[in-house]
Amino acid sequence: MGKRKFIIDLGNEKIEVEGHQHKNVAIKYLMKRRRSLLMTRDKTKVEKLFEAVPKTISIVGGHLTKSYKVNWEREGTTEFEGSRFVFTLDELPENVIQVAH
């Protein structure tokens, strides 16, 4: 299966990307955000970046938009205990987009 075009909608900005599935596109983007948090040495910049991480993310595909609630933790308390800046995704109810022909 080839890559499809998706739009990541963060509310204040939209980013065009390619991917295979809605959830995988969201995870790939959030992992990039997490990596920037982990690699930043300046504590004040880390705080500013952590405040700016998305709490909800919508992935717009051709016919379907999937939204996810992102739960960020500074220190993992469940599956990845002790890991820094862990996130989990909870899928919100689907929105079907009507395409005009």
Side-chain angles (χ1 to χ4, degrees), residues 74-101:
R74 284 185 181 279
E75 294 277 330
T77 56
T78 55
E79 188 176 346
F80 301 103
E81 191 169 342
S83 298
R84 293 173 49 219
F85 306 114
V86 178
F87 64 89
T88 57
L89 292 177
D90 296 324
E91 189 170 340
L92 299 173
E94 294 182 8
N95 298 324
V96 178
I97 298 174
Q98 297 297 326
V99 179
H101 294 290

Side-chain angles (χ1 to χ4, degrees), residues 2-100:
K3 289 189 174 184
R4 300 178 294 169
K5 293 197 180 295
F6 291 95
I7 297 173
I8 299 173
D9 186 357
L10 301 170
N12 58 349
E13 77 178 300
K14 295 180 187 231
I15 304 164
E16 287 190 32
V17 295
E18 288 188 346
H20 295 286
Q21 295 177 335
H22 291 80
K23 189 169 187 175
N24 292 351
V25 169
I27 289 172
K28 185 175 180 181
Y29 173 76
L30 293 170
M31 288 299 285
K32 284 183 181 179
R33 295 292 293 260
R34 179 179 182 263
R35 209 170 301 125
S36 65
L37 278 167
L38 290 171
M39 296 300 164
T40 303
R41 299 273 182 245
D42 184 11
K43 296 282 186 200
T44 56
K45 190 171 180 183
V46 168
E47 290 301 317
K48 198 157 75 170
L49 286 172
F50 188 72
E51 289 300 315
V53 293
K55 308 298 187 257
T56 59
I57 186 170
S58 294
I59 310 299
V60 181
H63 301 287
L64 190 67
T65 298
K66 291 198 177 188
S67 298
Y68 301 94
K69 182 176 186 290
V70 186
N71 302 310
W72 289 92
E73 298 178 25
R74 284 185 181 279
E75 294 277 330
T77 56
T78 55
E79 188 176 346
F80 301 103
E81 191 169 342
S83 298
R84 293 173 49 219
F85 306 114
V86 178
F87 64 89
T88 57
L89 292 177
D90 296 324
E91 189 170 340
L92 299 173
E94 294 182 8
N95 298 324
V96 178
I97 298 174
Q98 297 297 326
V99 179

